[in-house]
Amino acid sequence: MNKADLLPAARGDVPADLLLANARVINVFNGCIETGNVAVYRGMIAGVGEYTKALETIDLEGRYLAPGFIDGHVHLESSMLDVVEYARAVVPRGTLTIVTDLHEIANVTGLAGIRYIMNRAQHLPLNVFLMAPTCVPATHLETSGAEIDADDIRQMLKWSNCTGLGEMMNYPGVLNRDEKVTAKLRLAMGRPVDGHAPGLTGKDLTAYIAAGIRSDHESVSLAEAREKLDKGMFIMIREGSTEKNLEALLPLVDEANCRRCMLVVDDRSCVELQRDGDIDAVLRKAIRLGLDPVRAIRMVTLNPAEYFHLQEHGAVAPGYQADMVVLEDLNCPQAVMTFSRGKLAARDGRPVFKTGRQASAKLRDTIHIKEPGRDSFRLSCAMPMPVIEVVPGQIITRYRRETLPVVEGTAVPDPARDILKIVVVERHRASGNTGVGMVAGFGLQRGAIASSVAHDAHNIVAVGVDDESIGAAVAEIQRMKGGLVAVDGKMVLAALPLPVAGLLSGQSLEKTADALTVVEKVAARLGSTLPAPFATLSFMALPVIPELKITDLGLVDVNEFRIIP
Amino acid sequence: MNKADLLPAARGDVPADLLLANARVINVFNGCIETGNVAVYRGMIAGVGEYTKALETIDLEGRYLAPGFIDGHVHLESSMLDVVEYARAVVPRGTLTIVTDLHEIANVTGLAGIRYIMNRAQHLPLNVFLMAPTCVPATHLETSGAEIDADDIRQMLKWSNCTGLGEMMNYPGVLNRDEKVTAKLRLAMGRPVDGHAPGLTGKDLTAYIAAGIRSDHESVSLAEAREKLDKGMFIMIREGSTEKNLEALLPLVDEANCRRCMLVVDDRSCVELQRDGDIDAVLRKAIRLGLDPVRAIRMVTLNPAEYFHLQEHGAVAPGYQADMVVLEDLNCPQAVMTFSRGKLAARDGRPVFKTGRQASAKLRDTIHIKEPGRDSFRLSCAMPMPVIEVVPGQIITRYRRETLPVVEGTAVPDPARDILKIVVVERHRASGNTGVGMVAGFGLQRGAIASSVAHDAHNIVAVGVDDESIGAAVAEIQRMKGGLVAVDGKMVLAALPLPVAGLLSGQSLEKTADALTVVEKVAARLGSTLPAPFATLSFMALPVIPELKITDLGLVDVNEFRIIP
């Protein structure tokens, strides 16, 4: 809208569209709580104070009113939800703005997937800002479905809802001044550039920051986060489904530096979104851990708004977009109502908005595999052989060596010692590329589980006790055109289809979360000892996280950043 | 430079160009002071820490090192200095970045004057960022030399060193949604828009902010500043030559809101710059008044950098421009050395940089007046007549009515009661427009003083005891093509020529300040009782400041915003 249109309502000359009366407003500018009436006009906040005339009035009866929460770093594909369903999941929780790096779908479909999600996000009561993915594919040690080059990034940066450059995971490329990486960074031109620098320290960290990278969400220790903050990075404290850093990093935050800190989720599963919540769950935990509630709210409103230059977001103040959350108890913030652009979007945790969006037929044919042969999953290898060891609750793995039974000249799993076969099948271009190895820690005693969600190239990854089960699991994913599956021999026991790019469900939040719960339970029945076996599985093929990983090109020694021959 | 070039120095692989060793660095991110070595490479900060190799090393022996100060709001023309000399005045004080609204010269020469200053500012050790002037002319109640329209603003916003829209003084235009004003505001598009809202309060203030205006530097009382901050404005606490608000506003600043506050000078005369200093003087005074020194430094570094989106300014950190100030005593910060883009620019208060700039012959013919006739300054008026009353130390005036002696049918001054004649002669287009009135408070007993610096239209303004002196003063300004003058009868007693646009000296800082001191002393000898009579004189023609002012069109009742017939 033309802001001038807002002025008569701000002056009280015309009635507001909506009046939120008797609010205790969280003022993020001064850190105080102020009682007043909030006048909303054409989706914007006209003013806070003694307004009375309005077409509609809601008496908040002294409840707290906070700016809509901003999640400053999330890959929404990790929810396995279409963005419409994602909005249904998070808007009732108070998240009204997300800044998303869509590098998951970009690895499968390139710009087309990014456009698909950004287009579907229009007209939702959720502001979706894009950080243009910089590292697609993440490495040369795997086969992705697409590449994002400097030209693509230049194009995205022209979009009005593209705020900057997404996490620069290729820190070796930055430090070694790789030409392609440098070209991408040069495009940023004063816009925010997100970092991804797990464990980077000392002069390498300094150099990475000197390249213009000004945020990081990968710190796991207090010392790591402190060094990054001291050197000028905004610290995004992450509390996702698999990576939980809040407890370790919260002691970092003090009055002097809190303007440089945010709370983000990075990756959250649909089950967790539905059960525990989104940014609101992080807020509650942070407050439980001792963070002052108003400071916590500033960290998910004004702070990300400033970092991302979102001038009309992050405050309940004149001229800001009317995205607001009503909270009952500031010590345990739970959204009672959320308003998006001045319209009630959710009440008591349930969405009340119409999405007006049909399921799309696009991007539903992205699984292309070459029929595996009889011997595709055979593993003949000198003993002892490398074994990936899962570290519970983390996405790093350990590099172990084990001697395994050999049957007909091929190494076979040993479920008794919890060593299973792991397979990655290239699924973008039907190349037939197949990585085969062994993994410890999944606990399966029968059958196999498989997934087309496998960071970041999203090939098909399967873990199983025998080749027949693995083959059946891969075949079922092919049949579903993507998804998660648990099989026993030839029998499919449970599945969650993810037909959109092999990453996203075509179903509702509720159905998707239910199906994920079921397939995880079935995996547990097969013997899985992991709390979230598919989430763990999805990180087995991510060769930017140490120590031993597997891609369609084979086992990757991450520390040496090479394929093991 | 390409930031990638900085990385080898950041990693310590190549020697730095300059090493500032044993510095106590003010870290604006965490509010702490950290000991370390600062490595500079190609004008940028490569890193802070254990660097040792460098082409040149300066041992700071434990002295403090702060980011170069940023003055977030200044009209540099008020110094009467060419920007080259302005840099010589402020860089030794630690000011290494200014954000300037050049609406003074724009009122005389339009875009040409703005271009003139911005071009001359290149290659100086001072970063000059422009806020495009929005209110030229300031009102329709005076005749300016030029107009800045929306097209001009659109053009300026394309310049890489134009950061946003300058102070929107026309708040009635904003509130009444004047079409031209609205068109200008629409151009801002997410960039900062500075406000100017003296005394605006309540819903009018809310509406003004809702229009997208996010800063103000006109608060004079604590309550006024607090309301503006609470509603979302960045508060620029002003401590200029004529407007001093620091003492009144400093109690506003606390730990929670200080990120929304800055210190600025707005207008500072060359004499004050030379004698007391610039932002450094404001810092010293603020600290003397009780502000924590590190917090004070954040208010003139990180805070303005964030507000203006100056991503490479405001911190001593990797990837930032190497603009730094060495301070001896943090409780009384005085620049011992200043470095601009990694080069020593000043030492012990003296500039050591070459300006490489010749005086320019441009814009030196801007005084065009129609020869005053015999009766031009005659005043025939019914008694009692309106008299402008100067309020010492303020730029507002009072509206008084007095009965004056009448000689040959015309009202004449009454020096015994300190009521003098004031005249404004249009000087851009030789229209012959002349405003004549009476003023109380200058104290002259003989002669006249006159100036071509008269905010904002910069016509010639003169105050005197008799028409002959006034005529001689105006004629001398015409002869000098601009300047300040004190005359007695036909005799010119002292003058400061300001040949560039009638606003700026062609001389050095030292000569200009000396000449200004002399002409002020002479004015005192003529009887002036004001500490800075020419500064006071320059605000007599500013019809946006209450209550009674005078322009070339006549006396202006500012409260009614109209010419008195």
Side-chain angles (χ1 to χ4, degrees):
Chain A
M1 73 179 284
N2 183 347
K3 284 206 165 177
D5 297 342
L6 193 55
L7 270 60
R11 299 180 85 181
D13 294 342
V14 303
D17 292 336
L18 172 70
L19 194 71
L20 300 183
N22 303 309
R24 278 197 277 181
V25 179
I26 316 293
N27 186 320
V28 292
F29 304 123
N30 61 20
C32 298
I33 296 169
E34 295 160 358
T35 301
N37 295 350
V38 178
V40 172
Y41 188 76
R42 296 199 189 172
M44 305 292 283
I45 294 166
V48 182
E50 294 172 2
Y51 293 89
T52 50
K53 289 179 288 181
L55 304 183
E56 186 194 351
T57 298
I58 298 177
D59 189 343
L60 296 186
E61 296 171 334
R63 289 190 184 85
Y64 297 98
L65 187 68
F69 306 144
I70 301 173
D71 184 354
H73 184 77
V74 61
H75 308 283
L76 68 81
E77 306 99 309
S78 297
S79 69
M80 300 181 190
L81 299 172
D82 182 277
V83 64
V84 175
E85 292 300 313
Y86 186 84
R88 288 188 61 242
V90 304
V91 167
R93 299 304 196 144
T95 307
L96 291 168
T97 299
I98 61 171
V99 184
T100 186
D101 178 341
L102 297 172
H103 70 202
E104 313 300 353
I105 202 164
N107 263 282
V108 179
T109 64
L111 263 191
I114 296 173
R115 276 214 191 83
Y116 169 85
I117 291 179
M118 295 306 286
N119 284 339
R120 285 183 69 76
Q122 284 173 28
H123 313 299
L124 288 175
L126 175 73
N127 309 298
V128 178
F129 292 103
L130 176 70
M131 292 292 269
T134 55
C135 301
V136 176
T139 72
H140 62 282
L141 302 172
E142 61 200 316
T143 307
S144 68
E147 195 177 327
I148 297 286
D149 62 17
D151 275 341
D152 295 326
I153 290 175
R154 190 176 293 116
Q155 210 170 316
M156 283 182 271
L157 285 170
K158 286 182 191 154
W159 304 350
S160 63
N161 49 10
C162 181
T163 43
L165 295 190
E167 53 179 316
M168 179 45 83
M169 296 188 290
N170 188 358
Y171 53 85
V174 174
L175 297 182
N176 297 321
R177 297 187 288 154
D178 175 287
E179 216 170 276
K180 282 186 182 174
V181 170
T182 302
K184 289 174 182 175
L185 286 174
R186 257 203 307 265
L187 294 173
M189 297 281 290
R191 299 215 238 179
V193 181
D194 280 344
H196 162 115
L200 211 60
T201 182
K203 286 180 181 152
D204 278 350
L205 175 62
T206 299
Y208 182 76
I209 295 170
I213 299 165
R214 291 278 176 88
S215 81
D216 185 77
H217 57 272
E218 294 287 346
S219 294
V220 296
S221 79
L222 189 56
E224 183 182 358
R226 197 180 296 284
E227 183 184 357
K228 288 172 178 171
L229 186 142
D230 291 351
K231 287 180 171 170
M233 285 183 141
F234 281 80
I235 301 302
M236 296 168 162
I237 298 177
R238 169 176 61 186
E239 188 75 0
S241 285
T242 39
E243 315 96 332
K244 296 192 183 294
N245 310 124
L246 181 63
E247 205 157 345
L249 300 189
L250 201 55
L252 173 73
V253 182
D254 64 29
E255 192 62 66
N257 68 25
C258 82
R259 64 198 273 193
R260 310 287 293 181
C261 301
M262 311 172 209
L263 304 171
V264 305
V265 306
D266 202 357
D267 299 291
R268 254 190 189 226
S269 82
C270 54
V271 170
E272 196 161 10
L273 287 175
Q274 203 193 24
R275 190 187 55 207
D276 304 331
D278 189 38
I279 284 288
D280 61 319
V282 188
L283 274 181
R284 285 190 294 275
K285 185 168 174 182
I287 293 166
R288 216 160 53 231
L289 290 168
L291 187 65
D292 171 75
V294 173
R295 193 185 290 176
I297 288 171
R298 292 176 109 184
M299 287 168 66
V300 299
T301 55
L302 184 63
N303 295 6
E306 284 192 355
Y307 170 70
F308 290 108
H309 304 170
L310 305 178
Q311 303 243 72
E312 295 180 359
H313 300 268
V316 179
Y320 282 74
Q321 196 168 302
D323 295 341
M324 295 170 285
V325 190
V326 179
L327 306 168
E328 193 89 50
D329 177 1
L330 214 52
N331 287 311
C332 184
Q334 197 119 24
V336 182
M337 290 181 248
T338 68
F339 295 88
S340 171
R341 299 187 193 95
K343 291 218 174 354
L344 186 72
R347 185 192 279 274
D348 298 327
R350 275 185 299 274
V352 298
F353 58 89
K354 294 262 184 302
T355 63
R357 280 280 175 180
Q358 304 298 314
S360 162
K362 280 187 185 165
L363 306 183
R364 287 182 179 243
D365 184 19
T366 66
I367 305 287
H368 308 292
I369 64 177
K370 189 171 168 189
E371 195 73 32
R374 220 191 124 82
D375 296 339
S376 292
F377 306 147
R378 279 173 66 99
L379 188 57
S380 47
C381 185
M383 296 297 168
M385 63 191 301
V387 172
I388 301 168
E389 182 187 323
V390 169
V391 180
Q394 296 203 42
I395 62 175
I396 61 160
T397 60
R398 300 239 165 75
Y399 189 150
R400 232 162 79 180
R401 286 181 174 277
E402 296 284 351
T403 299
L404 284 163
V406 175
V407 175
E408 293 173 13
T410 164
V412 297
D414 188 352
R417 287 157 64 206
D418 187 15
I419 301 180
L420 307 177
K421 189 172 273 185
I422 183 165
V423 165
V424 175
V425 179
E426 189 280 318
R427 62 92 158 178
H428 302 290
R429 5 187 128 183
S431 64
N433 289 347
T434 306
V436 185
M438 292 288 177
V439 65
F442 275 85
L444 294 184
Q445 295 302 310
R446 289 185 295 135
I449 60 173
S451 174
S452 57
V453 178
H455 302 286
D456 275 344
H458 302 295
N459 288 307
I460 294 173
V461 58
V463 165
V465 170
D466 59 89
D467 289 3
E468 185 186 28
S469 296
I470 289 172
V474 172
E476 177 62 9
I477 286 179
Q478 183 179 21
R479 196 195 61 75
M480 295 189 297
K481 301 191 171 174
L484 274 44
V485 67
V487 304
D488 189 2
K490 282 189 172 131
M491 198 185 323
V492 176
L493 302 178
L496 163 57
L498 298 173
V500 179
L503 298 176
L504 306 180
S505 164
Q507 302 286 336
S508 69
L509 160 67
E510 294 78 6
K511 283 189 179 161
T512 308
D514 284 353
L516 177 56
T517 305
V518 168
V519 72
E520 288 195 329
K521 273 190 188 153
V522 168
R525 264 206 337 256
L526 291 174
S528 162
T529 48
L530 293 167
F534 289 95
T536 303
L537 188 61
S538 75
F539 286 107
M540 292 299 108
L542 183 57
V544 295
I545 305 285
E547 286 177 351
L548 183 61
K549 295 284 164 105
I550 186 166
T551 74
D552 63 307
L553 303 179
L555 283 164
V556 178
D557 182 330
V558 179
N559 292 334
E560 301 200 345
F561 215 57
R562 65 180 186 89
I563 302 284
I564 298 172
Chain B
M1 74 178 282
N2 182 347
K3 285 205 163 178
D5 297 342
L6 193 55
L7 270 60
R11 299 179 84 179
D13 294 343
V14 303
D17 293 336
L18 173 69
L19 194 71
L20 300 182
N22 302 312
R24 277 196 278 180
V25 179
I26 315 293
N27 186 321
V28 293
F29 304 123
N30 60 23
C32 299
I33 297 169
E34 294 160 358
T35 301
N37 296 349
V38 178
V40 172
Y41 188 77
R42 298 199 187 170
M44 305 292 284
I45 294 166
V48 182
E50 295 172 2
Y51 293 89
T52 50
K53 290 179 288 182
L55 304 184
E56 185 194 351
T57 298
I58 298 177
D59 189 343
L60 296 186
E61 297 172 334
R63 288 191 186 85
Y64 296 98
L65 188 68
F69 306 144
I70 301 172
D71 184 355
H73 184 76
V74 62
H75 308 283
L76 67 81
E77 305 99 309
S78 296
S79 69
M80 300 180 189
L81 298 172
D82 181 275
V83 63
V84 174
E85 292 300 312
Y86 186 84
R88 288 188 62 243
V90 304
V91 168
R93 300 304 196 144
T95 307
L96 291 167
T97 299
I98 61 170
V99 184
T100 186
D101 178 340
L102 298 172
H103 70 203
E104 313 301 354
I105 202 162
N107 263 283
V108 180
T109 64
L111 261 190
I114 296 174
R115 275 215 192 82
Y116 169 85
I117 291 180
M118 296 306 287
N119 284 340
R120 284 183 68 77
Q122 284 174 30
H123 314 298
L124 288 176
L126 176 72
N127 309 299
V128 179
F129 292 102
L130 175 71
M131 292 293 269
T134 54
C135 300
V136 177
T139 71
H140 62 284
L141 302 172
E142 61 201 317
T143 307
S144 68
E147 194 178 325
I148 298 285
D149 63 15
D151 275 340
D152 296 325
I153 290 176
R154 191 177 292 117
Q155 209 170 318
M156 284 183 268
L157 286 171
K158 286 182 190 154
W159 303 350
S160 63
N161 47 11
C162 181
T163 42
L165 294 190
E167 53 178 318
M168 179 46 82
M169 297 188 290
N170 188 357
Y171 51 86
V174 174
L175 297 181
N176 297 321
R177 297 188 288 154
D178 175 287
E179 218 169 275
K180 282 186 183 174
V181 170
T182 303
K184 289 175 182 174
L185 286 174
R186 256 202 310 263
L187 294 172
M189 296 282 290
R191 300 213 236 180
V193 181
D194 279 345
H196 162 115
L200 211 60
T201 182
K203 285 179 182 153
D204 278 349
L205 176 62
T206 299
Y208 183 75
I209 296 171
I213 299 164
R214 291 280 176 86
S215 80
D216 187 76
H217 58 271
E218 295 287 346
S219 295
V220 295
S221 78
L222 189 57
E224 183 182 358
R226 196 181 295 284
E227 183 185 356
K228 287 171 178 170
L229 186 142
D230 292 351
K231 286 180 170 170
M233 284 183 141
F234 281 80
I235 300 303
M236 296 168 162
I237 298 176
R238 171 176 60 184
E239 188 74 0
S241 284
T242 38
E243 315 96 331
K244 298 194 183 290
N245 309 124
L246 181 63
E247 204 158 347
L249 301 189
L250 200 56
L252 173 74
V253 181
D254 64 28
E255 192 61 66
N257 68 26
C258 82
R259 64 197 275 193
R260 311 286 294 181
C261 300
M262 312 172 209
L263 303 173
V264 305
V265 306
D266 202 356
D267 300 292
R268 257 194 185 223
S269 82
C270 54
V271 171
E272 195 161 10
L273 287 175
Q274 202 192 24
R275 187 188 58 208
D276 305 331
D278 189 39
I279 283 289
D280 61 319
V282 188
L283 273 181
R284 284 190 295 275
K285 183 167 176 184
I287 293 166
R288 215 160 54 231
L289 290 169
L291 187 64
D292 170 75
V294 174
R295 194 185 288 176
I297 288 172
R298 293 177 107 183
M299 286 167 67
V300 298
T301 54
L302 184 63
N303 294 8
E306 285 191 354
Y307 170 70
F308 290 109
H309 303 169
L310 305 178
Q311 304 243 71
E312 294 180 0
H313 300 268
V316 179
Y320 282 73
Q321 195 169 301
D323 295 342
M324 294 171 287
V325 190
V326 179
L327 307 168
E328 193 89 48
D329 177 1
L330 215 51
N331 289 311
C332 184
Q334 198 117 24
V336 183
M337 290 180 248
T338 67
F339 294 89
S340 171
R341 297 186 195 97
K343 293 220 174 353
L344 186 73
R347 184 190 280 275
D348 298 325
R350 276 185 299 275
V352 299
F353 58 89
K354 294 260 185 304
T355 64
R357 280 280 173 180
Q358 306 297 314
S360 163
K362 282 187 184 166
L363 307 183
R364 286 182 179 244
D365 183 19
T366 66
I367 305 287
H368 308 292
I369 64 178
K370 188 172 168 189
E371 197 73 33
R374 215 192 129 82
D375 297 338
S376 292
F377 305 147
R378 280 175 64 97
L379 189 55
S380 48
C381 186
M383 297 297 168
M385 65 190 302
V387 172
I388 302 169
E389 180 187 326
V390 169
V391 180
Q394 296 203 42
I395 62 176
I396 60 161
T397 60
R398 299 238 165 76
Y399 189 150
R400 234 160 79 178
R401 286 181 173 277
E402 296 283 352
T403 300
L404 284 162
V406 176
V407 175
E408 292 173 13
T410 165
V412 297
D414 187 352
R417 288 158 63 207
D418 186 16
I419 299 181
L420 307 177
K421 190 172 272 185
I422 183 163
V423 165
V424 175
V425 179
E426 191 278 318
R427 62 94 158 177
H428 302 291
R429 351 177 146 190
S431 64
N433 289 348
T434 306
V436 185
M438 292 289 176
V439 66
F442 276 85
L444 293 184
Q445 296 302 311
R446 288 186 296 133
I449 60 173
S451 174
S452 58
V453 178
H455 303 284
D456 276 343
H458 302 294
N459 288 306
I460 295 173
V461 59
V463 165
V465 169
D466 59 89
D467 290 1
E468 185 185 31
S469 298
I470 290 172
V474 171
E476 177 63 9
I477 287 178
Q478 182 179 22
R479 196 196 61 75
M480 295 190 295
K481 301 192 172 174
L484 274 42
V485 67
V487 306
D488 189 2
K490 282 191 173 132
M491 197 187 321
V492 175
L493 302 178
L496 164 56
L498 299 173
V500 180
L503 298 175
L504 306 181
S505 163
Q507 301 287 337
S508 68
L509 160 67
E510 294 79 6
K511 285 189 179 160
T512 309
D514 284 354
L516 177 55
T517 305
V518 168
V519 75
E520 288 194 330
K521 274 189 190 155
V522 169
R525 263 202 342 253
L526 291 173
S528 162
T529 49
L530 292 167
F534 290 94
T536 302
L537 189 61
S538 75
F539 286 106
M540 291 299 108
L542 183 56
V544 296
I545 305 286
E547 287 176 348
L548 182 61
K549 295 285 163 105
I550 185 166
T551 74
D552 63 306
L553 303 179
L555 283 164
V556 178
D557 181 331
V558 180
N559 293 333
E560 300 201 346
F561 214 57
R562 65 181 184 90
I563 302 284
I564 297 172

